[in-house]
Amino acid sequence: MSIVSFAATQMESLLDVYLSAYLSEEAFARVWPLSKASLPAWGGFLGLLMVTWVFNFIVIKKPDAIKRDEEKRGKFYHEMMKAVLTYSSKEELKSEEERKRPEASRVYKLLWDDVHKVRTTKYGIAKNDKVNVQMEALLQRLLVHELKKAVKYTTEANKDPDNNNNNNNNAPDPDADA
């Protein structure tokens, strides 16, 4: 006896016991077993199930609580962006040696929400908003500055203080045996 036929017989016996008091044999035959006679009932049930699924997962909009949370996050990000821009503009007035720029990674986190993996413009900040545009420009300037600094330090670290470029002819070549 296969698993399917075993399950069908078990289901029939369970349905007979529990539903016999509520359904007549004729009404029960319209639902079980699966046949041409039960097709309209099952089609109606599956259609209703599909409509319910579509309504719950496609038609329903965001709940108000999520909308309020996104508005709150948008205001927070916008205020933080303003604070960073104010700080950055004050630092630009100082000399290069005294200037302390914000880190590019922190500015980036104000433009990109790592938790939800979305741009912070999703929280109601317009892409062409003055503060957002200035933050993007600040990020570009900071990235250029940090990359130039990294290249400078890398170049300095690779220079030999004796100016012989670490060429020691007396040292054995580690790749000679390979």
Side-chain angles (χ1 to χ4, degrees):
M1 180 180 266
S2 72
I3 293 175
V4 174
S5 60
F6 176 73
T9 56
Q10 290 297 319
M11 182 175 257
E12 281 180 27
S13 64
L14 285 174
L15 289 174
D16 283 341
V17 170
Y18 291 111
L19 294 178
S20 62
Y22 302 107
L23 290 176
S24 67
E25 289 289 326
E26 184 181 321
F28 183 71
R30 289 186 199 144
V31 178
W32 194 259
L34 294 175
S35 65
K36 287 182 181 179
S38 66
L39 182 63
W42 284 104
F45 172 73
L46 291 176
L48 183 63
L49 184 66
M50 183 184 74
V51 167
T52 304
W53 184 88
V54 166
F55 180 75
N56 283 317
F57 293 104
I58 296 176
V59 174
I60 293 181
K61 304 294 182 211
K62 277 187 202 175
D64 290 337
I66 293 176
K67 288 180 183 177
R68 284 192 304 270
D69 184 52
E70 287 181 354
E71 284 178 21
K72 184 178 173 183
R73 285 178 196 222
K75 288 178 184 176
F76 170 77
Y77 278 117
H78 201 265
E79 291 299 318
M80 289 299 294
M81 287 180 187
K82 284 183 187 176
V84 169
L85 288 172
T86 303
Y87 171 80
S88 180
S89 63
K90 288 180 183 177
E91 289 297 313
E92 290 293 325
L93 300 175
K94 296 180 181 178
S95 66
E96 186 67 33
E97 297 82 31
E98 296 175 357
R99 191 176 302 164
K100 293 183 180 178
R101 294 179 171 91
E103 295 175 18
S105 63
R106 295 179 190 261
V107 173
Y108 176 76
K109 286 181 181 180
L110 290 174
L111 294 170
W112 179 260
D113 183 5
D114 280 335
V115 175
H116 295 98
K117 305 292 183 206
V118 294
R119 274 290 309 260
T120 53
T121 54
K122 182 180 183 286
Y123 301 133
I125 302 171
K127 289 184 180 182
N128 57 357
D129 183 55
K130 180 181 176 184
V131 174
N132 188 54
V133 171
Q134 289 175 342
M135 283 298 288
E136 289 174 354
L138 175 64
L139 178 62
Q140 288 176 349
R141 287 194 313 269
L142 291 173
L143 286 172
V144 168
H145 174 74
E146 288 184 16
L147 287 172
K148 284 182 179 178
K149 192 172 160 182
V151 168
K152 174 186 162 192
Y153 289 148
T154 303
T155 306
E156 288 177 4
N158 288 331
K159 288 182 182 176
D160 185 31
D162 297 332
N163 267 344
N164 64 1
N165 292 331
N166 292 331
N167 286 336
N168 189 353
N169 293 333
N170 296 336
D173 185 12
D175 294 329
D177 294 333

